[in-house]
Amino acid sequence: MVDYHAAGQPASYQYGGNGPGIGDYMAQEDDWDRDLLLDPAWEKQQRKTFTAWCNSHLRKAGTQIENIDEDFRDGLKLMLLLEVISGERLPKPERGKMRVHKINNVNKALDFIASKGVKLVSIGAEEIVDGNAKMTLGMIWTIILRFAIQDISVEETSAKEGLLLWCQRKTAPYKNVNVQNFHISWKDGLAFNALIHRHRPELIEYDKLRKDDPVTNLNNAFEVAEKYLDIPKMLDAEDIVGTLRPDEKAIMTYVSCFYHAFSGAQKAETAANRICKVLAVNQENEHLMEDYEKLASDLLEWIQRTIPWLENRVPQKTMQGMQQKLEDFRDYRRVHKPPKVQEKCQLEINFNTLQTKLRLSNRPAFMPSEGKMVSDINNGWQHLEQAEKGFEEWLLNEMRRLERLEHLGQKFRQKASIHESWTEGKEAMLKQKDYETATLSDIKALIRKHEAFESDLAAHQDRVEQIAAIAQELNELDYYDSPSVNARCQKICDQWDTLGSLTHTRREALEKTEKQLETIDQLHLEYAKRAAPFNNWMESAMEDLQDMFIVHTIEEIEGLIAAHDQFKSTLPDADKEREAILGIQSEAQKIADYNNIKLSGNNPYTSVTPQIINSKWERVQQLVPKRDHALQDEQSKQQSNEHLRRQFASQANIVGPWIQTKMEEIGRISIEMNGTLEDQLNHLKQYEQSIVDYKPNIDVLEQQHQLIQEALIFDNKHTNYTMEHIRVGWEQLLTTIARTINEVENQILTRDAKGISQEQMQEFRASFNHFDKDHGGSLGPEEFKACLISLGYDVENDRQKRTGSMDTDDYRALLISTGYSLVCSLLFPFLRFGGSGVIMNVTAICLLLWPA
């Protein structure tokens, strides 16, 4: 039994049960956790039954429990209960009465239950320590299932079904008994009495029991079981009768006790019958052997009274020979020779009969004691007359001495044989150096094994001392085989001293190797802790060094170069860390090599070997210069691109403003129009030529833009002008100057056709500029409408009144209604119609305002 004051570790469990044989039944008992303990009657039955069941086992250890909720809270009696019912040792419980000690003890018990294949669902040590009745009863029921019901097997059924089938088989012949379950079927008590009567009919008068008196029936069965079957009373008759449906688990627990009591007795009875039968045959043969020995001894004792060794009183080495001599001597004086002839004949008959029976029984042939063969008796018969008398006293004294020597010699040989059998192979075991190739866990296991051997060795010390004492006594009594005994005894003592020395040497070697392996293990752990992040760093570094980069500016590539330079600055420290990590591994290997320890496999804590670290480090060293070249090439490329940007920007920043300035100048010229129309036209054409002469600058910009496109440059922070902007501006500039020139030419044509004077043209220009509020060079719909109103015309027709707008036909009708039908053909070419109405230039105004 263990000492219930040792350390343990807490754990968390669930109560369910999925062990072999009870998994299916436990799956059907899910309602335990929800409903069963809600019924006070069932809880009461379970408390009493489970308490009695536990005490039936705890009393074997000299203890018991009173309150199932309280007495298991510290875990001590719970561990004791598990030891008793399992026959196994549990870990030592913890000392102390604090809550943590109790929890640790209960966790050890729950660990043991789980190790037996039982899955605990929702049962934790805290609930047991807190005295949770529901969890405690659930735990005890799980123990009962595993150790009392699970192993029940009847006709290929097991656990609950096997127990139920056993009850049905045993109670089938009894009237008023129909066992179908473990609750209602037992309520009248007849089933309990039937089980007892089936196995022990002398204990129960079953015919006198009445079905309508269940309390009497139940009490009778409980009392008989407790008194004669050693089954404690686990149930109360009143509780069972007073409950509509007795608790199934309480009934199963109690019935399982009957099963174990009766099945054990039945098995023992069957085994005893078989043994008795075998013993009877052996006893008969033994009797025949004894008869032969007795007859042979009688004959030889009588025949050999005259044998020379009796005359010379030469002592025999065996007790058997001296006994035969004594019998012969005494029978010679009392019995006459003729009856011995019949005895000799009977002896031969008995010998042949015995050999025949042994051969038929497949037993070894009978070998009589030395000197008692049939041939020996025949030879002795021929020397019958040679017997001598007068040495009875010497014979008796010699027999006493030989009896003592024979006993001591047999005892010495028996003990020596047992000891030699035990020591066989022990020296080889102690000399082996299996610890040189063992791991740390293997070494710890070897040390525990060696400690067990040392305990066994100490236990055999008494036997060696007994062997030496017997050998000493045989020498003092002048035993005939003393040299052989002394030699054997000396060999045993020498071997014992050798075993002691080897044991001490092996313990020192194991302890030394354990310390060395612990040091190596710590180094391996430290190596793993530092190698893993370093390996990740190298992998990330290789990934970064091989990562493709896309940059568009010199600043971006310079940022990458700066980051790469910073990374290179960390390489010396990284190399020191690598050397330190490899140094840890090297130190562990040095310790192993120095102490002849053969390390098995790689580092158990990591798969990152020194070879992997060196390989990846070399790869990093190779990738760094490649990254340098790539960044330098990209830097040169970006510098070239930056030059192209600046070159384009410097030209674009000149051309763009120039175009914008020219556009503004053209707008101003179109508005002011100083001098005659011919002077204005000449001035505009000269201005147009100066613009055309600027075209080479546009071409240069196009060439620079082509280089930028070939270099795949998509942005330029040095200018806001793009080539598209320049092109559009250039086209607009050319279009605007051409349109302005065309307008002046049309004004000249209009003037000449209408005979308008220069002063009138200037007046029209002033009116146009007055209504051209935005100075855009044309009148919009609203501006044109205001102009007509100022001339006194009604510009709203029916369509405009309905829709609020006028289309081209509306304007044509309006011009005809104002008396300008003759100039419609001249006017409309100068009108531009947009989505919001008509737009008129100054020429159109001249045609409109000048009478037809």
Side-chain angles (χ1 to χ4, degrees), residues 374-531:
V374 174
S375 58
D376 295 333
I377 295 175
N378 290 331
N379 292 333
W381 189 262
Q382 297 175 1
H383 299 87
L384 181 62
E385 299 298 331
Q386 301 176 5
E388 286 289 339
K389 303 178 181 179
F391 61 103
E392 183 175 11
E393 183 178 354
W394 169 85
L395 189 59
L396 293 175
N397 292 333
E398 188 66 18
M399 283 187 64
R400 293 189 188 98
R401 184 184 68 84
L402 287 177
E403 183 178 18
R404 175 63 178 167
L405 287 176
E406 187 69 20
H407 174 72
L408 289 175
Q410 184 63 29
K411 188 174 181 180
F412 174 83
R413 287 186 291 272
Q414 181 182 9
K415 288 185 176 293
S417 297
I418 293 174
H419 177 78
E420 290 167 348
S421 176
W422 179 83
T423 58
E424 184 178 358
K426 294 295 188 296
E427 287 189 29
M429 182 269 291
L430 293 172
K431 289 179 180 179
Q432 63 184 353
K433 297 184 178 181
D434 48 353
Y435 49 82
E436 291 183 351
T437 59
T439 63
L440 181 59
S441 58
D442 295 337
I443 282 293
K444 292 183 181 298
L446 289 175
I447 289 176
R448 290 193 293 269
K449 182 179 179 181
H450 189 71
E451 290 173 351
F453 173 76
E454 288 177 329
S455 299
D456 195 14
L457 186 71
H460 280 75
Q461 177 69 35
D462 291 341
R463 178 177 287 116
V464 175
E465 294 175 354
Q466 292 173 4
I467 291 173
I470 294 173
Q472 180 65 26
E473 188 173 358
L474 286 173
N475 286 323
E476 293 174 354
L477 293 176
D478 193 21
Y479 184 54
Y480 76 95
D481 200 18
S482 292
S484 174
V485 170
N486 292 335
R488 192 172 184 181
C489 181
Q490 186 62 43
K491 181 180 178 182
I492 289 173
C493 293
D494 293 342
Q495 186 184 36
W496 183 256
D497 294 337
T498 302
L499 288 177
S501 176
L502 291 175
T503 300
H504 179 71
T505 301
R506 182 172 175 82
R507 166 167 279 281
E508 290 181 341
L510 288 173
E511 290 176 347
K512 178 182 178 183
T513 304
E514 181 186 24
K515 292 180 180 178
Q516 294 163 351
L517 286 178
E518 286 177 346
T519 302
I520 294 174
D521 187 71
Q522 289 296 325
L523 291 173
H524 279 167
L525 181 59
E526 182 180 357
Y527 173 88
K529 289 180 178 179
R530 296 177 67 175

Side-chain angles (χ1 to χ4, degrees), residues 625-637:
K626 292 182 179 179
R627 186 72 170 185
D628 286 333
H629 295 320
L631 291 174
Q632 291 171 2
D633 293 342
E634 185 64 26
Q635 185 181 29
S636 300
K637 177 182 176 182

Side-chain angles (χ1 to χ4, degrees), residues 553-564:
T553 65
I554 190 66
E555 290 79 7
E556 292 179 358
I557 189 62
E558 288 175 351
L560 290 178
I561 292 175
H564 184 63

Side-chain angles (χ1 to χ4, degrees), residues 595-825:
N595 296 281
N596 295 322
I597 297 175
K598 299 176 182 178
L599 297 178
S600 58
N602 296 324
N603 191 320
Y605 299 107
T606 180
S607 59
V608 181
T609 64
Q611 293 77 13
I612 293 175
I613 291 177
N614 286 329
S615 175
K616 291 183 178 180
W617 178 256
E618 291 175 0
R619 181 59 178 163
V620 170
Q621 295 293 92
Q622 294 170 359
L623 291 174
V624 168
K626 292 182 179 179
R627 186 72 170 185
D628 286 333
H629 295 320
L631 291 174
Q632 291 171 2
D633 293 342
E634 185 64 26
Q635 185 181 29
S636 300
K637 177 182 176 182
Q638 290 303 323
Q639 289 174 347
S640 175
N641 290 348
E642 183 66 14
H643 174 71
L644 292 176
R645 288 190 186 94
R646 292 181 180 275
Q647 186 179 32
F648 176 83
S650 64
Q651 185 68 16
N653 289 336
I654 296 173
V655 174
W658 182 86
I659 292 174
Q660 187 176 357
T661 301
K662 294 301 180 181
M663 287 291 292
E664 293 174 354
E665 290 178 355
I666 292 172
R668 188 167 56 254
I669 291 172
S670 64
I671 292 174
E672 295 175 355
M673 290 295 183
N674 298 320
T676 64
L677 291 176
E678 286 76 5
D679 294 337
Q680 294 176 13
L681 181 61
N682 291 331
H683 179 67
L684 287 172
K685 286 185 177 181
Q686 293 175 0
Y687 201 82
E688 181 184 27
Q689 184 60 42
S690 67
I691 292 174
V692 173
D693 293 341
Y694 198 77
K695 182 66 166 59
N697 294 318
I698 304 299
D699 295 338
V700 171
L701 204 59
E702 286 284 1
Q703 294 174 359
Q704 294 174 350
H705 178 67
Q706 180 66 27
L707 294 176
I708 286 177
Q709 285 186 323
E710 292 175 356
L712 300 177
I713 300 173
F714 303 105
D715 60 343
N716 193 337
K717 67 178 181 178
H718 303 295
T719 181
N720 294 326
Y721 296 100
T722 65
M723 196 62 217
E724 292 298 325
H725 293 155
I726 298 296
R727 288 170 183 161
V728 171
W730 177 256
E731 294 297 331
Q732 287 180 348
L733 179 61
L734 294 177
T735 302
T736 301
I737 189 63
R739 186 173 63 246
T740 304
I741 292 173
N742 181 258
E743 183 179 348
V744 173
E745 290 175 344
N746 288 333
Q747 290 179 15
I748 293 173
L749 291 176
T750 303
R751 179 198 64 184
D752 294 341
K754 294 293 184 174
I756 302 171
S757 64
Q758 182 66 31
E759 290 76 11
Q760 289 173 327
M761 290 298 295
Q762 291 177 353
E763 182 180 357
F764 292 152
R765 167 63 65 183
S767 299
F768 179 84
N769 290 338
H770 174 74
F771 289 107
D772 186 10
K773 302 298 183 180
D774 57 359
H775 304 290
S778 60
L779 296 180
E782 296 299 324
E783 295 169 339
F784 178 53
K785 178 180 177 182
C787 179
L788 292 179
I789 291 174
S790 70
L791 294 175
Y793 296 104
D794 184 7
V795 298
E796 292 188 358
N797 60 7
D798 294 337
R799 174 181 175 85
Q800 187 178 10
K801 292 177 181 179
R802 292 193 309 269
T803 64
S805 63
M806 297 175 65
D807 60 10
T808 305
D809 294 334
D810 294 331
Y811 280 101
R812 185 186 299 273
L814 176 60
L815 292 175
I816 293 173
S817 66
T818 55
Y820 292 97
S821 59
L822 295 178
V823 297
C824 283
S825 59

Side-chain angles (χ1 to χ4, degrees), residues 231-254:
I231 298 176
K233 185 177 180 181
M234 299 183 183
L235 302 168
D236 286 331
E238 292 77 7
D239 292 339
I240 295 177
V241 175
T243 304
L244 181 62
R245 182 177 183 267
D247 179 59
E248 183 180 51
K249 294 173 176 57
I251 299 296
M252 283 181 64
T253 302
Y254 190 51

